[in-house]
Amino acid sequence: MRKIEHYVTGNWTTGTEEGQLIHDAVTGEAFASIATEGLDIPEILQYGRTTGGEVLRKMTFQERGNMLKKLALYLTKRKDAFYELSYRTGATKLDSWIDIEGGFGNLFANASLRKLFPNQPFHVEGDPIDLSRGGRFMAHHIMVPKKGVAVHINAFNFPVWGMLEKCAVNWMAGMPAVVLPAPSSSYLAEAVARTIIESRILPEGALQIINGTVKTILDTVVSQDVVTFTGSAATGRLLKAHTRLIQESVPFTTEADSLNASVLGEDAVPGTPEFDLFIKEVRKEMTVKAGQKCTAIRRIIVPENLVEDVQIALGKALDKVTIGDPRLKEVRMGALVSKQQVEAVRDSVNDLAKEAQIVYGNLNKIDTVGADAKKGAFISPILLRADNPFQNSVIHEREAFGPVSTIMPYKTLDEAVQLAQMGKGSLVSSIVTNDDNIARDYVVNAASHHGRILVLNRESAKESTGHGSPLPYLVHGGPGRAGGGEEMGGMRGIKHYLQRTAIQGSPSTITEITGVYQQNAKYKEAEKHPFQYHWEDIQPGMSLKTHKRTITDSDIVNFANLTWDHFYAHTDITSLDGSIFEKRTAHGYFIISAAAGLFVYPNKGPVAANYGLDSIRFLRPLYHNDTIYVRLTCKEKVDRDVASTEHPSGIVKWHVEVFDANFEDRPESEKGPKDSPLVAVATILTMVQKKQKTFVEINKASIENCLSKLTEDSKPLWGTMSAQHMVEHLEYSVRISSGEIEVNEIATPEKILEKVHATLYNYKKMPKEHPAPKQLEKELETLSYNSLMEAKQNLLDAFDNYIEFFKKQPEAKLTNIVFGELNKYEWNLFHRKHFNHHFEQFGLL
């Protein structure tokens, strides 16, 4: 029998004792054991803090995000291997999909959050704060990775999702993780962790996994660590009170089971789409994952006149649920994770039955398909009904963690809110109604007791993710019984693993610390126009002061006529009495447009496009005959992904300040104490290309230089081509690009052709050992020339023909075997990559 392994301190290992037996939830077979005795917990935690943490903390948010994206793609390609193991937990294919691919989806979602963070290892949070009258003393907040390890103590029900939804967040923050899956389903978490470790995508130490219960795991945590727990509310309270957590002030987040409630609106009577949606949603939440979900509907709150209708409709819906071997297509509900869990659910139902009657299901009878009900951990869905929910307490306090739910009536919406609140805090509540007034009243009054509220109706149903689906961009957690914590939530979740620190200093100093230009900081005068620099060479504070422009009366009138903006301050000077304006006033958007005319560099360069406008403020009016100049300063740089036909680029945020050039010439009597020459500020964004530093540019001179180093004895660093084969292969591709050889078939499948075509624009090398398309195999079989020297000359002649061809036909498009139809520019990109690939293959670069 196999022992489930742990990955700690860089090695796979097992515990020293025999350990606990792990059973197949469907067949009852004992197929593995788990043991944790002998593990050095303090060493494991320290290994994460140092080995994994030091690397992660130095990575930028963009690097961490791309790492998660790469890992998500790697796991997705191998997902089928995890389904067979998941069936052993009693999960159907749908249940497994939620766990496995939902977990991978968390990696994808958190990876995308890199776009919201700066291109550096820490985050600059919020707006700057001016602490002085003179603008020379200020404050900002930064958030840096904690220098600890995230300890995740997970529940049994989602061994993949539970691990990855937490780890994705701490990895994005730059923090390593030690994961402790629950024993009964740890074999699935182990399999995913093994695949992650084998991928070598994460730095060593970023993930350690201890499969099983370790009672001493909290004994040596330190203040820089973060602990999370998913499981029962009672266990969560015990852990939260651990002496070490209190002594070290260790952040602790609980996501506990809760008595989640779903409310049927008074308008949602039988025959309406909402009534049907309610029944479908409750049935789903009772039976998906066999009800073993911390977000499942435990309390069904319905108008008292609809109790019978809901009970009958739910009974009919549950009759259609086939229970048995989760591998079978016809099975809709599998087993609980273990027989121990079955007994725990039975005990809970028996307690609930003291205050409510069982109206559907039988604890002692279960019909199964393709499985032996006695050997597996099967249980029937159980529906209870409590007619006096305000007089009973157990139905609001005891959770049966399985396919169990209780119907309870309400007279008014206020009563429905009270019943929902009697659960003393939940992860999620929902209301099904097509009346937005009912929805508003419920949400506003019930929100204090729930971490998330879903409003479901006919409009949202087709695209709704459902009552029980936590989403990476939304907070997952709840008050009171639900633990009082939060997980995920987009940027909010990542911030749980960062230390927020207020920093104070001069604007120039804060600029250097944060990498974000602060108002009133010293300018760094650019040696040339900032728009002439590539993304890598632009730095926060780099600045340009423009020449001046005087705004004329005609400018204002013409702008009004052009835009149809005839606001009175611009066009009717007889109506200015009582307004803030003294004379004909320039349009605010004209000021910004005129500013752009002053700072934009007209020639083609690294700035590829105007990307947008983040913010804009008009501080005081400008009148005709006023003169302005502009100060353009790099505020911040943000990296971006490029997947289309454009070159790698980043976004530069520019701080635009528009000044009144005549301010200093005005008499002091005309200047107020708060007057300033600054009349408008804005943040504009430009898309700026990155430097191409990967490839040697290809022209006849560079080709001749490389060919001069190539001899008959030259051997490839990879592949089987001879030197002459390589030269003739390059010549063949060049003659295709000049139309001398016609391509009639494209090797790349049409569904991915656009994506492959776009790769010409990136700065990534062609992959080594990549097989040539079948269309080129014959071309590579035999040599066409008698010598390497002759082949070299023919390649150079072919390149001359290619240059001449596009001089005569600059608009021509010709087909490439791999990349499809290419224009002149794209053929240049192709040849640059292709020549570099083969010249590097023979060590010529």
Side-chain angles (χ1 to χ4, degrees):
M1 185 178 296
R2 189 179 80 84
K3 263 192 174 182
I4 295 171
E5 294 187 315
H6 321 284
Y7 186 77
V8 293
T9 62
N11 297 289
W12 287 100
T13 187
T14 59
T16 54
E17 81 276 30
E18 286 189 18
Q20 172 185 345
L21 291 178
I22 305 298
H23 296 81
D24 186 305
V26 179
T27 66
E29 170 201 1
F31 67 94
S33 68
I34 194 166
T36 58
E37 190 70 26
L39 298 178
D40 189 333
I41 301 304
E43 181 186 7
I44 292 168
L45 297 184
Q46 187 59 23
Y47 183 82
R49 295 179 194 119
T50 53
T51 304
E54 288 177 3
V55 177
L56 283 172
R57 289 191 293 270
K58 291 177 181 177
M59 296 172 70
T60 67
F61 280 101
Q62 275 64 40
E63 289 170 336
R64 295 175 201 145
N66 285 320
M67 175 184 72
L68 292 196
K69 182 179 179 181
K70 186 177 180 181
L71 180 60
L73 291 168
Y74 185 88
L75 290 172
T76 300
K77 290 179 180 178
R78 292 156 178 81
K79 63 184 180 183
D80 293 342
F82 306 125
Y83 275 85
E84 190 58 36
L85 282 175
S86 185
Y87 290 135
R88 283 185 176 271
T89 71
T92 64
K93 188 166 186 179
L94 174 61
D95 299 337
S96 300
W97 178 84
I98 295 170
D99 183 30
I100 296 168
E101 298 187 49
F104 302 165
N106 263 280
L107 292 174
F108 279 118
N110 278 278
S112 70
L113 294 175
R114 68 193 183 277
K115 302 169 187 176
L116 304 179
F117 287 94
N119 188 41
Q120 49 195 10
F122 59 88
H123 177 51
V124 182
E125 186 187 44
D127 295 322
I129 303 162
D130 187 6
L131 300 175
S132 66
R133 292 182 178 180
R136 299 300 171 189
F137 184 59
M138 63 163 297
H140 220 316
H141 289 88
I142 63 170
M143 302 190 75
V144 300
K146 290 178 180 289
K147 294 189 175 181
V149 65
V151 178
H152 300 307
I153 305 169
N154 290 340
F156 66 80
N157 52 339
F158 289 101
V160 183
W161 186 90
M163 173 170 63
L164 295 182
E165 63 100 357
K166 293 180 175 69
C167 286
V169 178
N170 63 249
W171 288 332
M172 269 301 291
M175 200 172 189
V178 175
V179 180
L180 287 82
S184 53
S185 59
S186 59
Y187 49 89
L188 180 52
E190 178 210 26
V192 174
R194 190 175 294 275
T195 305
I196 291 172
I197 299 301
E198 289 172 352
S199 75
R200 298 182 181 273
I201 293 171
L202 298 179
E204 171 55 39
L207 173 63
Q208 297 181 90
I209 183 169
I210 302 173
N211 289 297
T213 303
V214 180
K215 293 184 179 180
T216 60
I217 190 67
L218 300 183
D219 291 351
T220 54
V221 294
V222 297
S223 61
Q224 287 290 306
D225 297 332
V226 174
V227 178
T228 73
F229 169 76
T230 300
S232 74
T235 304
R237 286 191 290 270
L238 286 174
L239 293 177
K240 192 173 184 178
H242 193 284
T243 304
R244 184 71 176 183
L245 295 183
I246 297 170
Q247 288 176 343
E248 290 283 319
S249 299
V250 178
F252 181 84
T253 295
T254 306
E255 186 253 284
D257 52 22
S258 56
L259 281 299
N260 309 297
S262 186
V263 177
L264 180 66
E266 294 175 279
D267 63 307
V269 297
T272 64
E274 282 67 36
F275 184 87
D276 295 338
L277 285 170
F278 182 78
I279 299 301
K280 182 179 179 181
E281 194 71 12
V282 173
R283 178 200 57 76
K284 180 178 73 173
E285 289 303 315
M286 286 183 67
T287 58
V288 167
K289 204 66 173 166
Q292 298 170 113
K293 294 171 62 182
C294 54
T295 54
I297 295 171
R298 304 300 181 195
R299 296 178 299 151
I300 308 165
I301 302 174
V302 302
E304 61 179 2
N305 62 314
L306 299 179
V307 169
E308 291 291 339
D309 295 303
V310 169
Q311 180 181 319
I312 293 168
L314 265 177
K316 290 180 179 179
L318 291 170
D319 281 340
K320 298 177 182 178
V321 177
T322 308
I323 304 167
D325 186 344
R327 296 170 180 81
L328 302 177
K329 290 183 179 179
E330 62 268 30
V331 169
R332 292 294 175 266
M333 190 177 101
L336 299 189
V337 75
S338 65
K339 287 197 170 185
Q340 290 86 349
Q341 188 61 24
V342 172
E343 290 307 311
V345 172
R346 286 176 184 272
D347 291 344
S348 295
V349 171
N350 287 328
D351 280 351
L352 291 169
K354 295 174 183 177
E355 294 185 352
Q357 64 182 112
I358 297 175
V359 294
Y360 183 91
N362 191 322
L363 287 175
N364 301 311
K365 183 181 179 183
I366 177 70
D367 296 322
T368 55
V369 175
D372 188 332
K374 294 181 180 179
K375 292 182 179 179
F378 295 99
I379 193 170
S380 165
I382 301 292
L383 183 65
L384 299 100
R385 172 174 163 176
D387 292 328
N388 299 296
F390 286 101
Q391 280 72 52
N392 301 329
S393 60
V394 175
I395 57 174
H396 302 297
E397 295 174 358
R398 184 69 182 266
E399 180 183 29
F401 202 70
V404 181
S405 196
T406 303
I407 300 172
M408 52 192 72
Y410 72 87
K411 292 184 175 65
T412 65
L413 189 63
D414 285 344
E415 282 196 359
V417 171
Q418 290 177 45
L419 288 172
Q421 291 175 344
M422 287 176 73
K424 298 180 181 178
S426 79
L427 296 172
V428 56
S429 179
S430 58
I431 182 166
V432 183
T433 177
N434 199 40
D435 186 324
D436 289 339
N437 290 320
I438 291 176
R440 182 185 183 280
D441 287 347
Y442 179 77
V443 168
V444 171
N445 290 292
S448 60
H449 284 61
H450 309 288
R452 174 169 59 89
I453 297 179
L454 165 71
V455 179
L456 186 63
N457 59 24
R458 67 193 72 180
E459 182 180 355
S460 64
K462 288 184 179 180
E463 298 179 11
S464 170
T465 51
H467 169 102
S469 299
L471 298 174
Y473 297 129
L474 304 181
V475 294
H476 180 46
R481 180 194 171 102
E486 288 185 354
E487 296 175 357
M488 304 194 297
M491 290 182 73
R492 299 175 188 85
I494 295 171
K495 290 179 179 181
H496 288 312
Y497 300 90
L498 300 170
Q499 174 61 45
R500 180 182 288 105
T501 302
I503 55 173
Q504 298 168 279
S506 72
S508 298
T509 300
I510 301 299
T511 293
E512 292 304 312
I513 293 173
T514 61
V516 178
Y517 176 77
Q518 310 293 336
Q519 182 81 27
N520 296 321
K522 295 176 183 176
Y523 300 119
K524 300 174 184 176
E525 298 292 347
E527 294 182 3
K528 55 185 179 180
H529 195 289
F531 283 15
Q532 292 182 273
Y533 290 96
H534 285 86
W535 190 78
E536 295 89 339
D537 294 331
I538 297 173
Q539 299 302 323
M542 180 181 283
S543 185
L544 169 75
K545 180 180 179 181
T546 71
H547 54 281
K548 299 175 182 179
R549 171 175 177 172
T550 298
I551 298 170
T552 66
D553 196 68
S554 296
D555 289 334
I556 298 172
V557 172
N558 290 338
F559 192 83
N561 291 333
L562 179 66
T563 61
W564 293 7
D565 178 355
H566 296 290
F567 185 64
Y568 76 93
H570 314 309
T571 56
D572 184 6
I573 58 175
T574 65
S575 300
L576 299 180
D577 290 346
S579 73
I580 64 171
F581 308 106
E582 300 172 4
K583 308 174 189 176
R584 187 188 301 281
T585 307
H587 302 69
Y589 295 111
F590 171 72
I591 295 170
I592 293 300
S593 298
L598 289 171
F599 69 69
V600 166
Y601 185 71
N603 298 344
K604 184 177 181 181
V607 173
N610 181 342
Y611 199 68
L613 187 67
D614 248 11
S615 61
I616 184 171
R617 290 290 183 274
F618 304 115
L619 305 178
R620 65 175 176 82
L622 276 177
Y623 305 117
H624 64 89
N625 295 328
D626 281 347
T627 300
I628 63 170
Y629 70 89
V630 178
R631 174 64 77 167
L632 177 74
T633 307
C634 171
K635 180 177 182 179
E636 185 180 0
K637 293 163 59 180
V638 181
D639 211 345
R640 68 185 289 264
D641 296 328
V642 175
S644 58
T645 51
E646 59 179 276
H647 291 299
S649 62
I651 302 303
V652 177
K653 295 184 178 182
W654 300 95
H655 183 55
V656 177
E657 299 168 287
V658 183
F659 292 94
D660 180 353
N662 300 326
F663 179 80
E664 296 300 331
D665 297 333
R666 291 182 186 174
E668 291 299 320
S669 59
E670 294 182 13
K671 298 178 185 177
K674 295 184 179 180
D675 281 353
S676 164
L678 190 63
V679 296
V681 293
T683 301
I684 67 156
L685 287 69
T686 58
M687 188 187 303
V688 183
Q689 287 183 4
K690 297 180 179 179
K691 283 182 178 178
Q692 190 289 106
K693 298 183 288 186
T694 305
F695 307 112
V696 172
E697 295 299 335
I698 295 301
N699 49 49
K700 191 169 183 180
S702 62
I703 296 173
E704 287 177 332
N705 180 53
C706 288
L707 291 180
S708 68
K709 307 172 189 176
L710 190 69
T711 68
E712 296 280 2
D713 297 327
S714 298
K715 302 296 182 184
L717 300 175
W718 68 84
T720 59
M721 276 185 174
S722 68
Q724 188 169 335
H725 264 121
M726 183 271 288
V727 174
E728 292 190 12
H729 169 65
L730 289 176
E731 182 209 343
Y732 186 80
S733 68
V734 173
R735 293 198 185 280
I736 292 173
S737 67
S738 61
E740 296 177 61
I741 298 174
E742 186 176 353
V743 172
N744 297 312
E745 183 182 355
I746 299 173
T748 304
E750 187 175 355
K751 63 180 181 180
I752 63 169
L753 180 59
E754 184 177 353
K755 186 175 181 180
V756 172
H757 180 98
T759 63
L760 287 175
Y761 285 79
N762 67 36
Y763 300 154
K764 296 178 182 178
K765 296 179 180 180
M766 289 182 169
K768 299 176 182 179
E769 306 286 2
H770 193 72
K774 290 183 179 179
Q775 293 92 325
L776 292 177
E777 286 181 0
K778 290 184 179 179
E779 175 257 328
L780 293 170
E781 285 177 0
T782 58
L783 295 174
S784 300
Y785 303 113
N786 295 322
S787 68
L788 175 60
M789 184 177 293
E790 186 180 354
K792 289 179 180 180
Q793 187 57 52
N794 277 278
L795 171 57
L796 292 170
D797 291 343
F799 194 80
D800 286 339
N801 294 344
Y802 160 69
I803 299 299
E804 193 61 29
F805 173 80
F806 276 107
K807 280 183 179 178
K808 295 178 179 178
Q809 302 182 62
E811 303 300 321
K813 292 186 177 181
L814 298 171
T815 302
N816 180 282
I817 294 172
V818 174
F819 299 97
E821 196 174 67
L822 306 183
N823 59 29
K824 174 187 176 183
Y825 185 72
E826 290 167 336
W827 273 112
N828 287 338
L829 296 178
F830 166 75
H831 287 314
R832 184 171 71 184
K833 279 199 171 194
H834 197 217
F835 273 77
N836 271 263
H837 174 74
H838 287 294
F839 284 170
E840 186 178 342
Q841 181 185 19
F842 280 83
L844 306 178
L845 294 176

